[in-house]
Amino acid sequence: MSAAPWWCASVGYEVYLRSFSDSNGDGIGDLPGLRARLEHLEWLGVDLLWVTPFFRSPMHDQGYDISDYRDVDPTYGTLADFDSLLADAHELGIRVLVDLIPNHTSVEHAWFQESRSARDNPFRDYYIWRDPAPGGGPPNNWVSVFGGPAWTLDETTGQYWLHLFLSEQPDLNWRNERVARELDEAMRFWLERGADGFRIDAADGLVKHPNLPDNPVAAATWVGPPAGIASDWGSLEHVYDVGQPGVREIHRRWRALVEPYGALLVGEIGLADPEALALYVNDQDGLHLTFWFEPMEIEWEAATIRKSLSAAAAASDHLAWVQGSHDRPRAATRFGGGDVGRARSLALAVLMLGLPGVPFVYQGEELGLVDGLVLPEEAQDPISTRAGEHGLGRDGCRTPMPWEPGHGLGFTTAQQPWLPFGGRSAADTAAVQRDDPDSILRRFRRLLRLRRTPPWGSAPLEWIAEQGPLVAYRRGTVLVAANCGDEPAALELPPGTWTLAYATQEPEGREATGSVELGPASAVVLVSPA
Ligand code: NOJ
Ligand code: CA
């Protein structure tokens, strides 16, 4: 990256606020709770937080349905709490990204209330309204990410509103300049308070084809996120509803807006093709970074992991690397669960940490957490409760953080948290792991230290030819390798003496020449003096 902006050497961390830490005993995580836990994040070595939405919301989609962009929902605290959080975070050298949700609002937003009240209301054009199809029914064949039609009929005005997510999340009309200006103001509001940038929800949505044509039926099963959430979404090719010309203009507008603040824009774009994804970040006039989601979907298999990381890194050095989020099953679960899943997730974190771009940790990954068990009757996610797809629901990765052993696990003093803990043991907790030098937490922390003074500098990335189950790359005098197989494997080293700068399964410092043996699901960072 040229001229190394501040975020280049950062370690990102996603805080799923609702499940991070509860300060007032109502069983729901909140801003003061997060503030009280900043010390954990600073100790861990994280310096860039993405905090999931805390704006006013009726919470049909846990805050991704905003009814006021410029206020904090009382569930999460107050504006003063946000200011205090920010002040403390900055004091500790931690920057904070606010979750910007520009594609849709809540049905309870004042704009939508106005918009739906009459066809000639001045806010009508803030949203996308259409007459029923000639024979009746929705205007086109578009579907919601959460399943079912992307249209809901408003009985009062006799037209349908468009919603790519829940019907309570009407899509804004980005062809209306007034909408763009409203969102500018929302962004300025948080930047003026000191926010360090935005994670941008559904960043390739926003603009829709002006004629709203039917989407073609999918030829093959769609594999990118959020595939699997609801099969309806995967049944169509998303030709006219997302990724439209005009989206990048909006990103450019935002870039110009945030530049004077030195703020960062990180986009959520679920494209499975790295080349297509790179178009959103490589010109450096729009989003600074975009997440690469494929590692949240892939199997634990050397060739697959190598291909996913190397193809993305070849397409762009402006990627945010993730293996988990509040939308997908946890990496340790997907990679086999238990100690094996944990070890694999840590090894993948090692591979991601040395790549150009910015790694993000999803809360609890540093503890090696697997998904919490949430019974159908305890479900909260609309994918379970509405779409009826409990197995695909997102509650398992959203269960509360286990901070310490005992009732409430240090997360809450309430009898019941908003979602069950899902079967955590004392060994899962941050407090117990902090005292154990061999815990996943302590190994994670040692790993993240490498970002402080990265031994790879800005050396170019070269992938090392396949050696059985090993995935490895070199950056100048640094070699990063993981064993993605089930047996020990020896990595042939280039000539010279190599020192273990980091290892997931042994202490640092050992020297190696010729080859180094890696246990199954282990990873190393080696440095040569040359
Ligand atoms: C992506 C968010 O991560 C997800 O949780 C949410 O449901 C959708 N966007 C809709 O805003
Ligand atoms: Ca609370």
Side-chain angles (χ1 to χ4, degrees):
M1 278 173 226
S2 58
W6 61 262
W7 40 268
C8 258
S10 288
V11 177
Y13 186 99
E14 180 191 349
V15 173
Y16 188 65
L17 187 64
R18 217 175 160 78
S19 287
F20 197 66
S21 189
D22 170 24
S23 70
N24 61 352
D26 65 355
I28 301 174
D30 46 49
L31 293 173
L34 166 57
R35 184 178 169 212
R37 297 285 182 190
L38 286 173
E39 187 272 342
H40 166 81
L41 299 167
E42 197 256 347
W43 174 85
L44 180 60
V46 157
D47 54 13
L48 175 62
L49 304 185
W50 148 30
V51 183
T52 54
F54 45 76
F55 319 97
R56 278 200 185 259
S57 165
M59 309 285 170
H60 291 295
D61 187 21
Q62 307 308 0
Y64 283 95
D65 47 326
I66 298 179
S67 55
D68 185 344
Y69 283 93
R70 301 195 221 169
D71 203 0
V72 171
D73 195 276
T75 313
Y76 297 127
T78 62
L79 279 170
D81 291 331
F82 175 79
D83 294 342
S84 307
L85 167 72
L86 210 55
D88 282 12
H90 288 168
E91 189 75 21
L92 293 170
I94 297 175
R95 289 179 160 100
V96 178
L97 302 181
V98 167
D99 210 327
L100 182 73
I101 303 147
N103 181 70
H104 45 270
T105 69
S106 158
V107 277
E108 290 186 22
H109 197 292
W111 305 334
F112 191 75
Q113 294 294 311
E114 290 283 342
S115 183
R116 76 184 304 176
S117 66
R119 287 196 186 204
D120 60 358
N121 185 282
F123 287 86
R124 186 69 169 177
D125 205 28
Y126 268 45
Y127 295 87
I128 300 171
W129 294 97
R130 284 296 183 280
D131 288 333
N140 68 17
N141 72 346
W142 294 5
V143 290
S144 152
V145 169
F146 295 136
W151 296 95
T152 296
L153 181 64
D154 178 56
E155 303 286 348
T156 315
T157 59
Q159 286 191 310
Y160 283 82
W161 76 80
L162 177 69
H163 52 88
L164 292 188
F165 296 90
L166 295 176
S167 65
E168 289 90 344
Q169 293 168 299
D171 278 44
L172 285 163
N173 175 16
W174 273 89
R175 296 187 184 276
N176 181 346
E177 174 62 20
R178 284 174 67 202
V179 166
R181 274 193 236 127
E182 297 272 17
L183 266 291
D184 287 352
E185 286 317 307
M187 290 171 86
R188 275 199 200 96
F189 179 84
W190 296 104
L191 292 168
E192 287 294 330
R193 296 193 99 87
D196 299 292
F198 301 95
R199 173 268 185 187
I200 298 165
D201 193 76
D204 60 341
L206 313 173
V207 182
K208 279 80 192 174
H209 190 287
N211 304 332
L212 306 181
D214 277 356
N215 273 322
V217 171
T221 311
W222 187 71
V223 291
I229 283 179
S231 47
D232 284 359
W233 183 259
S235 69
L236 298 178
E237 302 282 356
H238 294 277
V239 179
Y240 301 117
D241 50 356
V242 296
Q244 300 299 295
V247 170
R248 293 211 50 236
E249 308 297 308
I250 299 168
H251 296 172
R252 282 192 202 105
R253 174 189 188 114
W254 292 340
R255 177 69 170 256
L257 190 152
V258 303
E259 210 89 274
Y261 297 89
L264 172 65
L265 300 174
V266 187
E268 183 208 29
I269 298 178
L271 285 172
D273 172 5
E275 302 284 338
L277 184 65
L279 296 178
Y280 284 93
V281 282
N282 280 3
D283 286 349
Q284 280 302 283
D285 58 355
L287 304 175
H288 297 92
L289 295 169
T290 183
F291 291 106
W292 170 237
F293 287 118
E294 197 182 61
M296 302 207 309
E297 313 292 326
I298 56 182
E299 298 287 307
W300 184 256
E301 199 268 313
T304 311
I305 291 170
R306 181 196 171 89
K307 181 162 173 283
S308 182
L309 300 183
S310 63
S316 178
D317 57 3
H318 290 271
L319 299 178
W321 301 99
V322 278
Q323 55 174 312
S325 81
H326 66 288
D327 286 332
R328 304 297 292 147
R330 286 185 174 278
T333 296
R334 285 186 290 106
F335 293 148
D339 287 344
V340 170
R342 276 186 257 284
R344 290 173 172 175
S345 169
L346 179 59
L348 181 56
V350 178
L351 288 175
M352 286 180 171
L353 196 93
L355 296 173
V358 177
F360 271 75
V361 178
Y362 174 51
Q363 75 181 41
E365 248 162 45
E366 75 273 31
L367 302 173
L369 295 185
V370 295
D371 277 352
L373 178 69
V374 180
L375 300 173
E377 58 272 24
E378 298 166 325
Q380 297 283 339
D381 181 26
I383 291 170
S384 302
T385 58
R386 305 260 195 104
E389 306 224 37
H390 184 66
L392 302 173
R394 300 168 292 179
D395 289 321
C397 62
R398 296 177 174 184
T399 56
M401 275 286 278
W403 291 103
E404 57 205 36
H407 180 79
L409 294 182
F411 167 75
T412 185
T413 54
Q415 273 311 310
Q416 295 284 339
W418 76 281
L419 262 185
F421 287 107
R424 298 302 180 207
S425 67
D428 287 325
T429 64
V432 167
Q433 292 203 26
R434 205 160 153 161
D435 285 344
D436 172 4
D438 199 35
S439 65
I440 290 281
L441 177 62
R442 294 278 289 268
R443 291 189 246 172
F444 226 101
R445 179 173 185 256
R446 284 196 284 114
L447 172 67
L448 299 189
R449 286 285 169 284
L450 291 179
R451 288 288 286 187
R452 293 276 157 92
T453 43
W456 46 81
S458 55
L461 175 68
E462 297 165 68
W463 291 86
I464 290 175
E466 266 171 58
Q467 295 183 30
L470 299 169
V471 176
Y473 59 82
R474 192 173 172 172
R475 291 188 71 182
T477 54
V478 178
L479 223 157
V480 180
N483 179 355
C484 302
D486 295 329
E487 302 293 332
L491 173 74
E492 271 177 49
L493 296 172
T497 302
W498 293 80
T499 307
L500 274 187
Y502 175 78
T504 58
Q505 292 178 8
E506 60 174 301
E508 288 88 19
R510 183 163 70 86
E511 291 192 338
T513 45
S515 71
V516 67
E517 185 162 283
L518 270 73
S522 75
V524 292
V525 178
L526 295 149
V527 185
S528 126

